[in-house]
Every structure is written in C-alpha cells, then in structure tokens.
Amino acid sequence: SAVISQKPSRDICQRGTSLTIQCQVDSQVTMMFWYRQQPGQSLTLIATANQGSEATYESGFVIDKFPISRPNLTFSTLTVSNMSPEDSSIYLCSVVASRNTGELFFGEGSRLTVL
Amino acid sequence: EDQVTQSPEALRLQEGESSSLNCSYTVSGLRGLFWYRQDPGKGPEFLFTLYSAGEEKEKERLKATLTKKESFLHITAPKPEDSATYLCAVDNFNKFYFGSGTKLNVKP
C-alpha cells in the first residue's frame, strides 16, 4: 500500500482566484493521478502526472485550467486556476503502488468550495 | 465504450440484514476489478482486487466475487459502521473506470 498526504484538506476560495493542492507519497511511485469528485458524483480522472514530462490530460481538462507539476517520484501539485463555483469539488491524488497488482490508492482528498 | 455501472444507487438495510451490491462492466480488456469504500468527506479506501472470473475475496463481513460481466459485493449481517458509499472500478490496462457507487445505510 501507499500513504498519501494531501494539503489542504479543505478550503473556501473566492471566484477568480487559484489554489494549489499538494500531494506527498511515502514511497517512490511511477504513476500519479489527479481525480475530481463533484458533489454526489463518482470520480473523474483529470490527468496523469508524469515525472520529468508534461502531464497527460483527459478530455475536457486543459493545462491552463489545471496545471500540474511532478518534480520527483514522491510529490505532485495540482493547481485549480481562475476558479468558479463549478470547480467546487473534492480533488483526489492517487497512485498505483505496485505495478504487479495495479491497485490504486487515494489520498484523503482536498475539498474546495468556491464562492 | 468502456463503462462501469453500479446498482442500486442507494440501499437501506437493517442491522443484520444481508444483501449484495452489483457492479456490471463493459471493457475492452480487464486487468483488474477493484472495490473501494468511501466515507463522507474522505478519499476512497481500497478493499479488494479481483483479477479473473470465479475469483472471490473476503474481509470481515464483506465478500467480493467476479464473473466475466459483473462483480458482487456481498455484505453479511451488516452493522451501522458498514454505512458508506461503495465504489467499483475497472482497470482496462489503460485507465481506471469508476462506477457511480452504491450508498449503503445500515440502521441499528
């Protein structure tokens, strides 16, 4: 398994501002992912954070809105830019801890409320 | 198109009343099927991985089974602390597809 820490755990933000979420893993992992979970909904993949290269974004998500950094094998950040109330969600960092089992582990999430 | 469907959306049980949650999937390839538990305001907690049809896994009051088209999460004699949303996900070797979850409420 993997222990994943996210900061902040929650925040209330004003429209038009940006917020950066940090994700720290207790071991080196190749694959890190960022998910969004809107109220009452399931998880939607935003992007795959690649170490040493640009993140790979899913359809409907763009780098200008959700810039991602991955400076090393244990850390990543997701920025939610120019926020609007529609960005109010839980943002989750996740990792595949073992290539053999392929199990995906999640952080506790960052709950963002945009006013 | 690859997709995962969970049913029911919500389930209310009395303490001790056993039941099953369903996860049906249509994917181009199956590396693994995963069950998670999610409590309100928390990230999903990993429960089980199933890799091939016929496989079963158990943990306390939970038992997960897998066929070629669906998976079941059986809950035997549930307790109020089993109340949570249960998510199913499928890895098709390329990405994970999540179902919308079943919200379980166990009344004492």
Side-chain angles (χ1 to χ4, degrees), chain A residues 4 15 19 21 29 32-33 44 58 61-62 64 110:
Chain A
I4 305 167
R15 182 194 299 260
L19 182 77
I21 302 167
V29 293
M32 292 181 75
F33 307 91
T44 301
E58 296 298 305
F61 298 96
V62 294
D64 290 346
S110 299

Side-chain angles (χ1 to χ4, degrees), chain A residues 24-108:
Chain A
Q24 179 75 52
V25 188
D26 68 341
S27 58
Q28 293 186 340
V29 293
T30 303
M31 306 183 77
M32 292 181 75
F33 307 91
W34 287 98
Y35 282 84
R36 181 174 74 181
Q37 188 175 31
Q38 294 180 303
Q41 303 294 315
S42 190
L43 282 71
T44 301
L45 180 63
I46 298 172
T48 301
N50 305 307
Q51 197 268 330
S53 65
E54 293 285 334
T56 305
Y57 289 84
E58 296 298 305
S59 176
F61 298 96
V62 294
I63 186 171
D64 290 346
K65 175 67 175 177
F66 297 101
I68 287 171
S69 77
R70 179 85 195 272
N72 57 52
L73 292 175
T74 64
F75 187 79
S76 179
T77 67
L78 169 75
T79 299
V80 186
S81 302
N82 188 23
M83 287 184 285
S84 66
E86 293 72 36
D87 294 319
S88 297
S89 289
I90 298 174
Y91 291 85
L92 294 153
C93 172
S94 66
V95 304
V96 174
S98 167
R99 282 187 180 178
N100 292 333
T101 61
E103 292 158 355
L104 195 63
F105 291 90
F106 288 88
E108 287 293 291

Side-chain angles (χ1 to χ4, degrees), chain B residues 11-49:
Chain B
L11 182 62
R12 297 183 69 175
L13 299 173
Q14 286 295 128
E15 183 172 2
E17 180 187 1
S18 301
S19 188
S20 296
L21 283 55
N22 178 263
C23 171
S24 61
Y25 61 91
T26 305
V27 291
S28 51
L30 179 67
R31 176 178 180 176
L33 184 142
F34 306 86
W35 282 98
Y36 293 86
R37 170 189 171 130
Q38 187 174 27
D39 292 300
K42 300 280 188 77
E45 174 190 348
F46 171 77
L47 292 173
F48 302 110
T49 309

